[in-house]
Amino acid sequence: MGKVIAIANQKGGVGKTTTSVNLASALAVLEKKVLLIDADPQANATSGLGINVDEKKAGTYELLEHTAAVEDTIVKTSVPHLDLIPSHIDLVAIEIELVDKNQREFMLKKALEKVISNYDFIIIDCAPSLGLITLNALTAANSVIIPIQCEYFALEGLGKLLNTIKSVQKIHNKDLDIEGLLLTMYDARLRLSNQVVEEVKKHFSTMVFKTIIQRNIRLSEAPSYGENIIQYDATSKGAKNYLSLAEEVLKKNS
């Protein structure tokens, strides 16, 4: 049975998509069967894996609407063992369209039932909001990874996200765990980066991943070539960081 992990934080620019694409790819490189779901209307995870967003295929929108079967939304990527359910700007409309639907928070969970046993991991790249799409992701997930950038406002909004997770646990998904907090965009030269690391570890100790994702120019270049960091530059710091994170996730789930 596949483990479903949502990558969520309502703050934008914290490294959610970078983490979704590269963690999914690193797990696939370690020969796990992985499905990545792009649940963000910006569709950056889709284009970041070299899939043309404008070639309209069925994707997350149709999946949440239940107008397409899950197997018809899955596309192969250039990475062996890694499949993708793509996104499209149309996904923006789903928040309104699901509003009066019965059991609207369970649409994704229901849709995935048929394929969950085909994968070792299903990774969901969430939108930077706490709307209905993210709620669907958290209801479908077994656990959530929260990326936190090593910058001044890092902990701002984290309380809100943790409260959302608590209410999802209470109402929709009592088994939802926090897989871990992931520190991203770390720059060892900056005092501020080091202060944020200390602060997060002080508050959340065991919940923080040992792996820290360092600021790395290759990481930000890779998506414009439609490649994950391991394809783009396997020797880079970014590639090593995400392989290390994948190993940590595997160890937690062994």
Side-chain angles (χ1 to χ4, degrees), residues 174-200:
K174 64 178 190 333
D175 301 322
L176 182 65
D177 272 335
I178 293 180
E179 189 78 18
L181 305 182
L182 176 68
L183 290 155
T184 62
M185 304 180 193
Y186 172 72
D187 186 339
R189 299 164 305 184
L190 299 180
R191 204 170 87 216
L192 181 62
S193 269
N194 293 303
Q195 282 170 342
V196 171
V197 171
E198 274 168 45
E199 191 80 352
V200 172

Side-chain angles (χ1 to χ4, degrees), residues 198-234:
E198 274 168 45
E199 191 80 352
V200 172
K201 285 186 170 168
K202 188 173 82 189
H203 283 25
F204 301 100
S205 60
T206 53
M207 284 163 69
V208 186
F209 282 108
K210 288 188 182 70
T211 303
I212 294 178
I213 309 299
Q214 292 163 291
R215 222 175 239 296
N216 177 233
I217 201 80
R218 311 297 276 166
L219 261 182
S220 31
E221 287 171 357
S224 59
Y225 292 89
E227 292 184 336
N228 64 63
I229 188 60
I230 301 161
Q231 288 169 308
Y232 184 63
D233 184 353

Side-chain angles (χ1 to χ4, degrees), residues 46-188:
T46 302
S47 57
L49 281 170
I51 307 290
N52 186 341
V53 177
D54 298 321
E55 278 177 20
K56 187 77 182 82
K57 303 172 209 61
T60 314
Y61 174 74
E62 288 77 8
L63 193 65
L64 284 166
E65 270 218 319
H66 289 192
T67 54
V70 61
E71 51 273 30
D72 297 333
T73 64
I74 295 171
V75 294
K76 293 256 169 260
T77 71
S78 60
V79 183
H81 310 299
L82 177 60
D83 291 345
L84 170 77
I85 295 181
S87 181
H88 188 271
I89 191 66
D90 288 1
L91 187 57
V92 165
I94 204 78
E95 299 272 339
I96 299 153
E97 288 170 23
L98 289 184
V99 152
D100 51 2
K101 289 261 167 76
N102 213 353
Q103 290 215 302
R104 57 188 182 188
E105 296 89 355
F106 293 89
M107 294 301 193
L108 186 59
K109 188 182 174 75
K110 281 196 200 113
L112 291 177
E113 279 167 2
K114 272 168 94 176
V115 294
I116 198 160
S117 53
N118 302 350
Y119 294 95
D120 298 306
F121 290 94
I122 295 178
I123 307 282
I124 309 173
D125 181 28
C126 295
S129 76
L130 294 177
L132 207 43
I133 307 175
T134 300
L135 203 52
N136 261 275
L138 294 175
T139 303
N142 304 112
S143 68
V144 55
I145 289 177
I146 304 170
I148 298 173
Q149 86 282 39
C150 296
E151 282 166 15
Y152 186 65
F153 292 115
L155 296 174
E156 197 189 54
L158 187 58
K160 200 172 168 192
L161 177 61
L162 294 172
N163 285 337
T164 300
I165 290 168
K166 267 195 201 118
S167 68
V168 170
Q169 286 165 329
K170 222 182 283 173
I171 305 165
H172 304 112
N173 182 1
K174 64 178 190 333
D175 301 322
L176 182 65
D177 272 335
I178 293 180
E179 189 78 18
L181 305 182
L182 176 68
L183 290 155
T184 62
M185 304 180 193
Y186 172 72
D187 186 339

